[in-house]
Amino acid sequence: MRLQTKTVHTGVDKDTAFNSVITPIYQTSTFRFEDVGKSKGFDYTRSANPTRRALEENIAALEGGTSCAVVATGMAAVALALHFFKSGDHIICTHDCYGGTERLLRTYRDQFGLEISYVDMRDPDLVRSAIRPNTKGFWIETPSNPLLNIIDIRTISEIPHEWGSLAIVDNTFLSPVNQRPFELGADIIIHSTTKYLNGHSDVVGGAVVVKRPDHAEKLQFLANAVGLGASPFDCWLVLRGIKTLAPRMKEHERNARAVAEFLSSHPSVGKVFYPGLPTHPQHDLAMRQQHGFGGMVSFEVDGEISDVQHVLRSTRIFTLAESLGGVESLIEHPATMSHASMAAELHERAGINERVIRLSVGIEDVDDLIEDLDQALKFKNDNLSFAETPKEAVEC
Ligand SMILES: *Cc1c(COP(=O)(O)O)cnc(C)c1O
């Protein structure tokens, strides 16, 4: 089966009692044993549940892995992957990673003695020179958040294997429709299913996928031991969302490209960050390594901070909210919203300045999206009526 067929069918058929076409929601904590020592394969929902199993089989198939653990949030997926390491291990991490990932790495560093280096992983030589004898992991987030820098997964993955360490890819921004890290040498893939996989902004969830049998065993052991599994209902919603993943990703990309082109020629906009634009410094790498460019677009407002606030307040279709990957378009301010939890010096190094706005481009009619941005960007003749105190920073 090809990927788009798998999204619809893999793992779904779980009801042998009544042959329901759609996976039932097995909303139960426990399962009756048929006899002492004899279950039907499920005994307790923390350990495994048929609805969750359906989603795990589905995501594992989409990524080309052998085993998947579906967990309660994307951060639970990050935490679960970090359980593959022990204190004293050194991890090299994308310098402009998701803010919550940086916050958790910092916590594990302070409390459990993980060593973390943040490196601009666009340059493999910088990665090589950051390697220590105890380097056990490479945390790759590509495209990065919010500036959509691209990391060469294959080149970085070839380094870890020389050192017997793991290459972990956060594939949230592209989904398996647009990027398949195992084909490029990655060992572990994580997802926030909250984003494109579910796609409808009504669930938080996460997934960890592995390919090696020893990793599969460790993954399932840890997911049960730590107790991170997602609820059957949430799994059911994500399974439902994934059925339309492929056509949604096409539509997100079509709209994002048009929005990026519109912004590129707008007089109130500075830099535009979208890997699908030929002007993106890593456009060629994105073409080689990805199967599509996705629906995320960031840009710098060419104006004062009050102008940035004006744009954020003025859109009518783009909703001012964190998160991404849903069918509806969102606008947000990384410096005070999604990346507010990130250490200040990392902000600066990552180039996340206060003029950067991030868009999650939805699947609405693209003409409405462009008109909405166009009217919001008309600040050049505005006076200072919008320059009141900025809203409180929001933790993500
Ligand atoms: C949102 C996100 C996460 C965290 O996922 P949650 O579901 O919010 O816990 C991790 N990585 C990336 C790239 C994300 O966008």
Side-chain angles (χ1 to χ4, degrees):
M1 278 196 276
R2 291 166 181 82
L3 187 131
Q4 189 160 337
T5 311
K6 290 181 191 166
T7 60
V8 177
H9 290 288
T10 306
V12 167
D13 187 11
K14 286 282 175 280
D15 173 27
T16 49
F18 303 109
N19 298 346
S20 69
V21 168
I22 294 302
T23 316
I25 306 168
Y26 288 93
Q27 192 68 29
T28 183
S29 60
T30 190
F31 298 82
R32 177 171 56 81
F33 277 61
E34 305 211 295
D35 196 358
V36 179
K38 187 164 178 265
S39 72
K40 287 187 99 175
F42 294 93
D43 50 36
Y44 186 56
T45 282
R46 170 160 43 73
S47 315
N49 175 285
T51 316
R52 193 192 302 137
R53 177 68 58 78
L55 178 58
E56 289 172 341
E57 288 171 5
N58 191 285
I59 296 175
L62 300 185
E63 286 292 10
T66 60
S67 182
C68 170
V70 164
V71 292
T73 65
M75 286 315 302
V78 174
L80 183 54
L82 289 178
H83 275 80
F84 276 72
F85 301 97
K86 57 184 195 313
S87 57
D89 286 352
H90 175 234
I91 296 173
I92 296 175
C93 181
T94 308
H95 74 312
D96 49 352
C97 66
Y98 179 69
T101 300
E102 190 273 334
R103 177 173 54 191
L104 188 64
L105 285 169
R106 188 165 8 113
T107 306
Y108 278 30
R109 180 196 66 193
D110 295 345
Q111 296 193 2
F112 305 124
L114 276 184
E115 294 175 24
I116 319 287
S117 300
Y118 294 95
V119 174
D120 184 344
M121 292 176 105
R122 284 175 295 184
D123 181 352
D125 288 335
L126 287 179
V127 177
R128 283 191 197 96
S129 61
I131 286 175
R132 303 174 187 170
N134 57 338
T135 300
K136 290 288 160 58
F138 295 79
W139 194 279
I140 302 166
E141 195 179 310
T142 181
S144 70
N145 183 0
L147 296 182
L148 303 158
N149 293 318
I150 313 284
I151 297 169
D152 188 333
I153 298 174
R154 189 182 293 284
T155 303
I156 303 296
S157 299
E158 278 166 5
I159 306 172
H161 295 122
E162 296 161 18
W163 290 77
S165 51
L166 303 173
I168 300 161
V169 175
D170 185 333
N171 204 23
T172 299
F173 263 39
L174 287 176
S175 91
V177 167
N178 284 339
Q179 180 164 274
R180 289 187 287 284
F182 286 147
E183 293 170 6
L184 301 164
D187 300 290
I188 298 178
I189 297 171
I190 71 138
H191 277 283
S192 167
T193 58
T194 312
K195 315 295 168 51
Y196 288 105
L197 287 179
N198 180 57
H200 294 75
S201 308
D202 47 15
V203 173
V204 288
V208 182
V209 195
V210 297
K211 58 182 182 188
R212 269 171 43 185
D214 57 328
H215 289 165
E217 201 176 311
K218 189 162 181 169
L219 178 68
Q220 297 305 334
F221 168 81
L222 286 169
N224 177 44
V226 187
L228 297 170
S231 81
F233 181 59
D234 286 356
C235 293
W236 184 84
L237 280 171
V238 177
L239 200 55
R240 184 180 206 262
I242 287 179
K243 291 179 206 293
T244 57
L245 178 66
R248 275 192 285 114
M249 291 313 289
K250 284 190 199 119
E251 203 61 13
H252 280 296
E253 173 162 342
R254 212 164 64 99
N255 285 357
R257 180 189 294 276
V259 164
E261 281 165 3
F262 161 77
L263 290 171
S264 300
S265 59
H266 199 286
S268 305
V269 172
K271 280 189 206 151
V272 177
F273 306 92
Y274 185 64
L277 292 177
T279 49
H280 187 284
Q282 293 157 297
H283 177 65
D284 289 346
L285 173 58
M287 294 261 281
R288 267 205 313 282
Q289 136 170 317
Q290 302 173 190
H291 303 277
F293 301 111
M296 299 301 295
V297 178
S298 296
F299 65 99
E300 270 173 12
V301 173
D302 184 12
E304 302 302 318
I305 189 65
S306 55
D307 300 323
V308 177
Q309 289 170 11
H310 171 81
V311 176
L312 291 164
R313 285 174 181 148
S314 306
T315 53
R316 295 171 193 144
I317 297 174
F318 282 86
T319 304
L320 181 61
E322 291 184 5
S323 197
L324 59 111
V327 290
E328 62 288 304
S329 293
L330 302 180
I331 186 167
E332 71 111 9
H333 189 222
T336 59
M337 293 170 70
S338 62
H339 288 65
S341 66
M342 196 178 224
E345 83 271 11
L346 268 174
H347 258 199
E348 226 160 273
R349 268 186 55 204
I352 306 167
N353 67 54
E354 292 190 317
R355 287 178 173 71
V356 173
I357 287 179
R358 188 186 80 181
L359 303 175
S360 173
V361 181
I363 64 167
E364 302 95 333
D365 189 307
V366 72
D367 293 337
D368 287 329
L369 297 181
I370 288 173
E371 277 171 30
D372 191 30
L373 290 169
D374 195 33
Q375 61 82 24
L377 281 162
K378 286 194 172 52
F379 56 74
K380 281 272 149 92
N381 301 318
D382 289 351
N383 52 34
L384 293 175
S385 59
F386 289 99
E388 47 191 72
T389 8
K391 285 185 202 143
E392 295 256 313
V394 194
E395 283 273 306
C396 67

